[in-house]
Amino acid sequence: MKKSIERISPRPAQPGMVGDGFRVFNMIPGGGISQRRMSPFLLLDFNAEFDFGPSDHIRGVDVHPHKGFETVTIAYKGRVAHHDSSGNHGVINPGDVQWMTAGAGILHKEYHEETFSKVGGPFEMVQLWVNLPAKDKSTPAHYQAITADQMGKVVLPKDAGIVNVIAGKFENTVGPASTYTPVNLFDIKLEQGHQTAFAVPGNHNTALLVVNGEVEVNGQVASEHSFVLFANDGEEISIKAHEKAVMLLLSGEPIDEPIVSYGPFVMNTQEEIYAAFEDFQAGKFGTLE
Ligand code: MN
């Protein structure tokens, strides 16, 4: 059965800045789609293509904590560098995904990679926050640096396009990201005039971000930069590209637990939020210059 569409949210009128390096349209929860409604997805910030211009000053967001969930950074254009309090450092290149499990707590900073910053050019990214079930919120912080060549790749018939399976399973291809609860995350590239179809479990909270191009989703037009929220009824999603299109499909089994969030801390109770804040202030997340 075809999934019905609950709503199609256009891109918000104004972007917000995360630090000075990420010019983002907040689709969850700012688009009126609550964290509960989209569980396990807590936040989706979409840096639609934007040229920051060449700069000697490296733009980004300085040292900040995360605890109790995962941050997933998907790079389409431009390069993001990061450093964290576990001593990890890396660069997320176009086509790469960084899946960071903040778990028990981490400090990190995220910024434009130095050479990219100097030269400038188009920058296009998504950051998605995925909640952890209560039993895994205190798992030690770690991350999966997934490069473009490691993605599960499905070449669609008739040169219709490519699906990069980041997490979960499409047809018989499994994505490289390991997740704590069932999640599908697909980077979909579809050529103009072509179509494809997906099936995801009916109980999953499911949405489609239209990164580039106009598409038709289960019979409704979704314009560039819009966010399509599906009802939790059927399983089938069919997509037709009116133009060459790039989309991010996310589906996840809801985590049926209370969500108490305070900025970069997402726990199950207010007491745990206070404790997280105290741990952070006591330096228990480590140190990072
Ligand atoms: Mn962060």
Side-chain angles (χ1 to χ4, degrees):
M1 180 185 148
K2 196 177 267 194
K3 269 187 176 302
S4 22
I5 291 176
E6 188 167 311
R7 62 188 285 178
I8 300 180
S9 307
R11 186 182 88 174
Q14 295 297 329
M17 290 302 296
V18 179
D20 63 0
F22 302 89
R23 182 183 181 272
V24 301
F25 296 98
N26 177 251
M27 314 305 268
I28 312 168
I33 301 168
S34 72
Q35 294 184 321
R36 182 102 204 140
R37 173 64 187 86
M38 273 318 288
S39 173
F41 307 109
L42 298 163
L43 172 143
L44 192 153
D45 272 347
F46 172 38
N47 190 134
E49 183 174 332
F50 184 77
D51 192 335
F52 286 88
S55 172
D56 286 330
H57 159 73
I58 295 177
R59 296 186 172 92
V61 50
D62 210 351
V63 179
H64 59 280
H66 290 288
K67 180 180 168 71
F69 62 100
E70 302 181 292
T71 66
V72 180
T73 306
I74 300 145
Y76 293 98
K77 293 174 184 166
R79 297 196 297 280
V80 175
H82 63 94
H83 268 95
D84 71 37
S85 50
S86 307
N88 299 306
H89 164 62
V91 175
I92 310 165
N93 290 297
D96 296 351
V97 170
Q98 186 208 47
W99 198 296
M100 185 182 83
T101 305
I106 195 165
L107 302 178
H108 77 160
K109 52 185 178 181
E110 303 154 90
Y111 48 93
H112 295 190
E113 184 274 330
E114 193 175 346
T115 306
F116 171 76
S117 194
K118 286 202 167 95
V119 176
F123 189 80
E124 190 177 54
M125 299 272 154
V126 165
Q127 189 165 92
L128 179 68
W129 290 8
V130 182
N131 206 359
L132 289 168
K135 67 178 178 58
D136 296 314
K137 280 188 182 289
S138 294
T139 195
H142 62 277
Y143 74 92
Q144 304 169 65
I146 304 166
T147 54
D149 62 327
Q150 294 172 323
M151 297 299 163
K153 207 168 277 295
V154 178
V155 177
L156 300 172
K158 301 179 193 164
D159 296 322
I162 287 177
V163 177
N164 290 304
V165 183
I166 301 165
K169 190 175 169 189
F170 172 54
E171 293 179 344
N172 290 314
T173 300
V174 175
S178 106
T179 63
Y180 285 82
T181 58
V183 166
N184 290 302
L185 192 61
F186 304 156
D187 164 37
I188 305 163
K189 323 257 191 222
L190 204 52
E191 297 297 326
Q192 181 173 23
H194 286 270
Q195 50 192 35
T196 189
F198 299 88
V200 297
N203 71 320
H204 277 205
N205 289 330
T206 306
L208 182 82
L209 174 70
V210 186
V211 175
N212 290 130
E214 183 187 273
V215 296
E216 192 177 309
V217 184
N218 285 359
Q220 290 191 42
V221 173
S223 58
E224 184 169 67
H225 301 169
S226 64
F227 189 73
V228 181
L229 174 63
F230 296 94
N232 296 45
D233 47 10
E235 296 83 30
E236 292 156 27
I237 297 169
S238 64
I239 303 173
K240 184 176 178 186
H242 287 174
E243 308 170 275
K244 187 180 173 75
V246 176
M247 293 151 282
L248 184 68
L249 179 69
L250 43 149
S251 99
E253 187 178 283
I255 299 172
D256 189 20
E257 294 172 352
I259 301 168
V260 182
S261 67
Y262 179 76
F265 308 121
V266 182
M267 304 302 292
N268 302 108
T269 67
Q270 192 62 52
E271 287 68 30
E272 288 169 347
I273 292 290
Y274 295 139
F277 203 75
E278 280 171 12
D279 285 354
F280 164 58
Q281 291 199 314
K284 291 185 183 167
F285 290 13
T287 52
L288 182 65
E289 286 299 303

